[in-house]
Every structure is written in structure tokens, then in C-alpha cells.
Amino acid sequence: MKLFSIKPVYAHCDLPCGVYDPAQARIEAESVLAMMQKYDGLDEHNKLRAVLLIEQRTELVKQHLWVLWTDYFKPEHLEKHPDLHEKFWLATKQAGECKHHMDAGVAQKLLDMIDEIAKIFWETKKN
Amino acid sequence: MKLFSIKPVYAHCDLPCGVYDPAQARIEAESVLAMMQKYDGLDEHNKLRAVLLIEQRTELVKQHLWVLWTDYFKPEHLEKHPDLHEKFWLATKQAGECKHHMDAGVAQKLLDMIDEIAKIFWETKKN
Amino acid sequence: MKLFSIKPVYAHCDLPCGVYDPAQARIEAESVLAMMQKYDGLDEHNKLRAVLLIEQRTELVKQHLWVLWTDYFKPEHLEKHPDLHEKFWLATKQAGECKHHMDAGVAQKLLDMIDEIAKIFWETKKN
Amino acid sequence: MKLFSIKPVYAHCDLPCGVYDPAQARIEAESVLAMMQKYDGLDEHNKLRAVLLIEQRTELVKQHLWVLWTDYFKPEHLEKHPDLHEKFWLATKQAGECKHHMDAGVAQKLLDMIDEIAKIFWETKKN
Amino acid sequence: MKLFSIKPVYAHCDLPCGVYDPAQARIEAESVLAMMQKYDGLDEHNKLRAVLLIEQRTELVKQHLWVLWTDYFKPEHLEKHPDLHEKFWLATKQAGECKHHMDAGVAQKLLDMIDEIAKIFWETKKN
Amino acid sequence: MKLFSIKPVYAHCDLPCGVYDPAQARIEAESVLAMMQKYDGLDEHNKLRAVLLIEQRTELVKQHLWVLWTDYFKPEHLEKHPDLHEKFWLATKQAGECKHHMDAGVAQKLLDMIDEIAKIFWETKKN
């Protein structure tokens, strides 16, 4: 079973780097989900650490999504995907929700929202 | 052309999160390579920025590799892959080389070294 | 010459803090503008530092704007100000432009865009 | 109720930027005060987050005050305001106190101390 | 009671700086040990802060050790000290253990492991 | 040639950690000095990196000094060393000078100022 495969990223991009990948946000969000799924089985000390680490990881999710939104997407992408702004706004708000609620459903919803953005991202790469 | 596909990461992992992925180091290294490939075509101002950004990105490569090495890998992995320490040491040193030389070959070698580590990583996930 | 005047901060806020202020983004952007205005008069060593510091300060502008966009603004604000997403997107993109061009006009435009957002922000505080 | 009013920022400044504003420390301190005022009404999970966020915010208060003290103030300001060092020392120590005591009075005293520093700051701007 | 004594730093170093010192990791680890020794005497609020601060400090320990391992040590050092990789790996893993267990013995063991590395470090400086 | 010797750290400390050491500021300042001494021998690419790294290292010097000033020193220390505030203010300003001038003399003066502070620090530890 192959869990992950990294294919080449071609340099269709702007100055000075042009490498973007929604996987960065997703990996952090998976980490949030995993911590929430394990939360009940943790001792008090590690429960406390989970809250702290989820705070950090959700900040990273937001950070990666914001960078993608501002730096990667261009007006022509917005024309094709007019709800892109709303999708990013709601996804970063959902990351904030993960801080308030220790609930794997909330984190799963965040993952789904990132996957929707990733789908659009990879579509723009085809053209 | 599908550039990237994220498959599910299964939670075979320790407290408190267990989500690791060599893609984090790779994405930053791809960014370093892309900047080096574009370097000659940049104006003076952006050449300077490229040096600065490569400095930051290579630090992130090192960071992601160090975390993977210390936090993910276990003694049983070392038994099967006795050169794992050396591979991580040389790969993080190679990231440092990318700071000294504006040379796409140096960055490509870093990517190759990350890919070797990624291969071992995904093998350990099979068991 | 009065450059800016920040209105009172009212304590209408959510969990867990609720204190937001567009002044945070503006102060960093003023710093970017000031550095660009002085750039030509700097020696080589400090010109280089200016590029580096503008890189950092524009990142802080983006950071403060993103937080304001995601964390402060609510759906009811969007209804009243349907171009809010676009304003934030373009303002954070403009902050990125300040990295590419050592041009006070580009930084002044960023300040104007922040001021437009600030105006909306303070309107929402009245209600 | 008007909590604070920030006066205009004049462009009297040094290399390489010269933009300073005590509002940066104050906004973070307001956030600390707001969290302390809300603390009793929070659920356990968010109480924990409040402690964590107050830790971060008070660090930012200290950071902004230290930068102002070292980078903005000059020997001629010290001559006019010989207790300036003491004021900054006590204000940054007070920020530390906010970490130890979940007490809005402690945070309010920090705000008062920042306001005293801000008053001196704006006086130096007049000359 | 003498807890630690740091030997002189000789200026044998590489581009661009060459200054390394295991004291950086040790000071952070001492801080972790001190917090663990005081933990039982703290009130609930400061117990929580201790967990948070130990999380940060152990990260700094790991960071300083990783930098030393990758950036300072050279192949000729490895020849003389073939267990160097293992020592760094176990020491950074031990720093991670300090996050899981509020136990001064765990922190003391970390200090001992850092001291072993420091001993090797200072031996390499003699030659 | 012995550049520096750090005396033992005694565990006289406050909540929640109490471990302070002027060596932290000194190690970063030594790094700044070393980079300045090597500067002329560097190629263009690494000269640029040196400016960037000196910017970061001097920030760390300031950070470590500020923490020491605010968090470690108490009113009774000020009584015995009434020029302590001035010493810290001038030392952190000197760190700022290191950013403006690629001049080993400026960095050496910073080291001397840190050593004066370290001397006072270790005197307070004796009592």
C-alpha cells in the first residue's frame, strides 16, 4: 500500500519561487485531526499539551492557506472560481473553530474544506 | 497532467500527533531549486531577495528533516536502515550548502537526498 | 502634517480576546513607506538592510490583514460590504508588490488600501 | 466609551525606518485585559487557551516596549525624562506579572503604565 | 555547588560565523530541569504555564543540538567519535521525553546527555 | 588564547524557571564579531548573507539582554548598581550599531559591554 507519492512540480510560476502546494496546509490539519482523535485516551498532562499543539498547528493551517490565497491565485483563477475567496475565508475560519472545540468532526470538516481548495488548485495547474 | 495527489495518511503513530510527511521538507527544497533556476533572469533587487528567501527556505528544509529524524524514526527503523543517521546528517548539511552556492545542481542533489529519505520513510509505513 | 488618526477601540468582542485594530497593519506599512522614501539616501550596506527589512515588514502587514479578515469579520459584515474579500485579497497582494518594487508609490497605494479596510472596520464597530 | 485615542504619527525618523508607535504595545495589552475580563465566563478548554494566549500577548507587549526603549529613545529624551528607564523596566516587569496573575487589575495597571510611556513618546514628537 | 562550567571558546571556525557552543542547549535544559523541580510547589495557573514553557524550552534544546550536529561537526569528528550521530539522536529524543513526563530525573538525564556531547565538542576544539 | 570563561550557574531562582545566563547574549555577539572579522574575505554572495545573519544575530543579542534586564534583575540589584539601566540601554543600542556598521571594533565594543553586564550579573549571584 502506497500512502503518498510525490510527483514533480513544474515551474509554472512567478518570481521569485512559484512553488505552492495545498499539502502544506493539509499535513498540519491532519495533525490536528489525529490529536483530536487521540485526545480522550491521553493523560491530563498530554491533554494539556494537545490543546497547546492544536493551537499551533491550526495557526500553521491558516498561514499556509493565506499564503496560497494571496500569493498563488490570480484574477483569472477568480473568474473561473468566483467562490474562491469565500472558500478560503470559511476554511481559515474553520481552522479557528478547531481551537475552540476538541471535536474530530470539526477537524474533519477543515480537511474537507482544504481538499476542496486543493481540487481547485490542481485544476488551475492543468491549464 | 496530475502533478500531485494526496492519499490518506494512516494514524500509525505515537502521542500526541503522529503525522509526519517528508513532503514538508521536499516542498521547501523545490522552492529553493526553483529560485536557483530563475536566479540569472532576476533583476538586482530580486536577486538579493532570492538569497534571503533561499536562506529561509533551507532553514525550513533542515527543520523538517530534523523533526522527522528525531521524532518519527525509532530504534527498529535504525536496525533495518543503519545508514539513516548518515543520510539525515548529509541531507541537512546539503541544505546548508544551498546557502553557500547559487547552483541548481546543489539544490537538485538536496532533493535527491530528501527523496532517498522519503523512500525509507514510506517503507517503514508499510510494516 | 497629520498622517493618520486612529479612532477609539471599543470593547465589543468575542472569545477569547476580541481586540482587533487595523493600526497594526498600518504601522508596519508606514515603516515600509518610510524605508522606501529614504532608500536613495542610504549607503550600500543599509540599502541591503532596507530590502531585508521591507521583506519582513510586508510579511507583518500581510499577517495582520489576514488575521483581521479571517478572525474579526463575520458574515453580517460581508453582507454590508460584499467587496470585503476582494479588498483584503488586493491589499495583501499589494503588500507583496512592495517586495518586488522599491517604489514609494507602491507602498503609498498599500497604505491607501489599508485605510479603506480600516474605514469599513470602524463602521462595523459603530453598530 | 472611548478607551484610547492614538495621535498622528509624524514622519520624524532615523535610518532605516523611524516609524515607532506605542499603540503596538497597547493593542496587545488591551487583548490581555480583555481575556482576563472574560476569563471567568469561559469553559475549561478556553480558559486553558486564555492562559496560553496571555503568555504570547504579554511577550509581544514586552517586545514592543523594549524596541521602543532601545531604538526610539535618544540621550536627549533621557535628559528631559530621567525616569524613562525606570518606567520601561517597571512596565515590562508588569507585563510579566500578567502571566502570573489572572487579574484584570494587573492588566489595567500595565495599560496605565503603557499610557504614561505613550504620553512621553508623543511629547518628544512635538519637539 | 557548581552546576556547570563552560570552557573557553576558541575562534576556529568556518564561513560565515563558526561560533558554536553546547552551552546554548544546556542553558535551556537547565531551565527545563528547574521548572520540573519547582513544579509541585506551583499553583494551578503556574503549573499550566510550566507545561507550556517546558514545551518551548525543550524545542530550543532540540534546535540548538540539531544545529550543532549538522553545522559544526565534520566527517573527521565522526571518525574519531563514531557514536556521535547516536548521541545526538538520543539526546534530542530525550528532550522530547521531557515534554511527556514532568519528572526531574528525565530532565537530569537530558543534561547528562548534553554534557557528554559538550565533552566531545570541546575535545574537537583542542585539535 | 582564552576568549571567555563562564562561571557556574547557581540555582537561585524564581518562578517558573529562574535560569538566566549572560552567555546567551555573548555567544550571539561572538558570532557577530566573527562574521565581521571574516567579512572582507568572503565572496559577494556570502557577504550578502553575512549582512543578513548579523541582522538576525544582533536581534538575538538584544532579545537576550532585554530578558535579562526585565526578568532577572530586581530593585535590590538596582540599588547596588544604579547604572544598570543605562548599561543595558547602551548595550542594546550598541547591538543596533552592529547592524549599521560592518566594523569589528563596533562588535568588540558590544562584547565588552556584555561582559560588564555579565560581571554585575555574577556579582549578584554571589549574595
Side-chain angles (χ1 to χ4, degrees), chain A residues 2-65:
Chain A
K2 191 170 156 201
L3 288 191
F4 193 58
S5 112
I6 299 166
K7 293 193 203 123
V9 174
Y10 293 95
H12 298 167
C13 57
D14 348 291
L15 259 169
C17 139
V19 175
Y20 298 98
D21 197 327
Q24 292 187 300
R26 200 185 202 279
I27 293 167
E28 303 300 347
E30 284 166 11
S31 169
V32 171
L33 175 63
M35 285 190 271
M36 287 187 179
Q37 286 167 335
K38 289 174 174 179
Y39 186 76
D40 287 340
L42 299 177
D43 63 28
E44 282 315 298
H45 178 69
N46 281 293
K47 272 184 170 154
L48 208 151
R49 294 183 58 229
V51 174
L52 163 63
L53 292 166
I54 287 169
E55 195 80 19
Q56 292 175 353
R57 297 289 138 179
T58 51
E59 267 313 295
L60 289 173
V61 172
K62 288 165 95 167
Q63 194 64 42
H64 286 304
L65 290 176

Side-chain angles (χ1 to χ4, degrees), chain E residues 6-96:
Chain E
I6 296 160
K7 286 180 214 140
V9 175
Y10 295 94
H12 299 165
C13 54
D14 351 290
L15 256 170
C17 142
V19 175
Y20 298 98
D21 197 326
Q24 293 187 300
R26 201 184 202 280
I27 293 167
E28 303 300 347
E30 285 167 11
S31 169
V32 171
L33 175 62
M35 284 190 273
M36 287 187 178
Q37 287 167 335
K38 288 173 174 180
Y39 186 76
D40 287 339
L42 298 177
D43 62 28
E44 282 314 298
H45 178 69
N46 281 292
K47 271 184 171 154
L48 207 152
R49 293 183 59 228
V51 174
L52 163 63
L53 292 165
I54 287 168
E55 195 81 19
Q56 292 176 351
R57 297 290 139 179
T58 51
E59 268 312 297
L60 289 173
V61 171
K62 287 164 97 166
Q63 194 65 40
H64 286 303
L65 290 176
W66 285 328
V67 167
L68 200 63
W69 179 58
T70 290
D71 292 357
Y72 172 72
F73 285 101
K74 302 278 172 297
E76 58 265 32
H77 302 137
L78 256 295
E79 271 172 52
K80 275 205 169 174
H81 304 278
D83 58 349
L84 197 70
H85 290 339
E86 193 75 10
K87 277 188 193 304
F88 272 98
W89 192 55
L90 294 176
T92 49
K93 274 190 175 300
Q94 187 69 16

Side-chain angles (χ1 to χ4, degrees), chain F residues 56-75:
Chain F
Q56 291 176 351
R57 297 290 139 178
T58 51
E59 267 313 296
L60 289 174
V61 172
K62 288 165 97 166
Q63 194 64 41
H64 286 304
L65 290 176
W66 284 328
V67 167
L68 199 64
W69 179 59
T70 290
D71 291 358
Y72 172 72
F73 285 102
K74 301 281 170 300

Side-chain angles (χ1 to χ4, degrees), chain F residues 14-98:
Chain F
D14 348 292
L15 255 170
C17 140
V19 174
Y20 298 99
D21 198 327
Q24 293 186 299
R26 200 182 201 282
I27 292 166
E28 303 300 347
E30 284 167 13
S31 168
V32 171
L33 176 61
M35 284 190 273
M36 288 187 178
Q37 287 168 335
K38 290 174 174 180
Y39 186 75
D40 287 339
L42 299 178
D43 62 27
E44 282 314 299
H45 178 68
N46 281 293
K47 271 185 172 153
L48 207 151
R49 293 183 59 229
V51 174
L52 163 62
L53 292 166
I54 287 169
E55 195 81 19
Q56 291 176 351
R57 297 290 139 178
T58 51
E59 267 313 296
L60 289 174
V61 172
K62 288 165 97 166
Q63 194 64 41
H64 286 304
L65 290 176
W66 284 328
V67 167
L68 199 64
W69 179 59
T70 290
D71 291 358
Y72 172 72
F73 285 102
K74 301 281 170 300
E76 59 267 30
H77 302 138
L78 258 293
E79 272 173 49
K80 276 206 167 173
H81 304 278
D83 57 350
L84 197 70
H85 290 339
E86 193 74 10
K87 277 188 193 305
F88 272 99
W89 193 54
L90 295 176
T92 48
K93 275 188 175 300
Q94 187 69 18
E97 283 304 296
C98 292

Side-chain angles (χ1 to χ4, degrees), chain D residues 29 32-37 39-40 47 50-52 54-55 58 93-110, chain E residues 42-49, chain F residues 15-16:
Chain D
V32 171
L33 176 61
M35 284 191 272
M36 287 187 179
Q37 287 168 335
Y39 186 75
D40 287 340
K47 272 185 170 152
V51 174
L52 163 62
I54 288 169
E55 196 81 19
T58 51
K93 274 189 174 301
Q94 187 68 16
E97 283 303 296
C98 291
K99 296 181 177 179
H100 287 282
H101 308 285
M102 191 60 77
D103 175 345
V106 175
Q108 183 57 57
K109 193 174 163 193
L110 171 61
Chain E
L42 298 177
D43 62 28
E44 282 314 298
H45 178 69
N46 281 292
K47 271 184 171 154
L48 207 152
R49 293 183 59 228
Chain F
L15 255 170

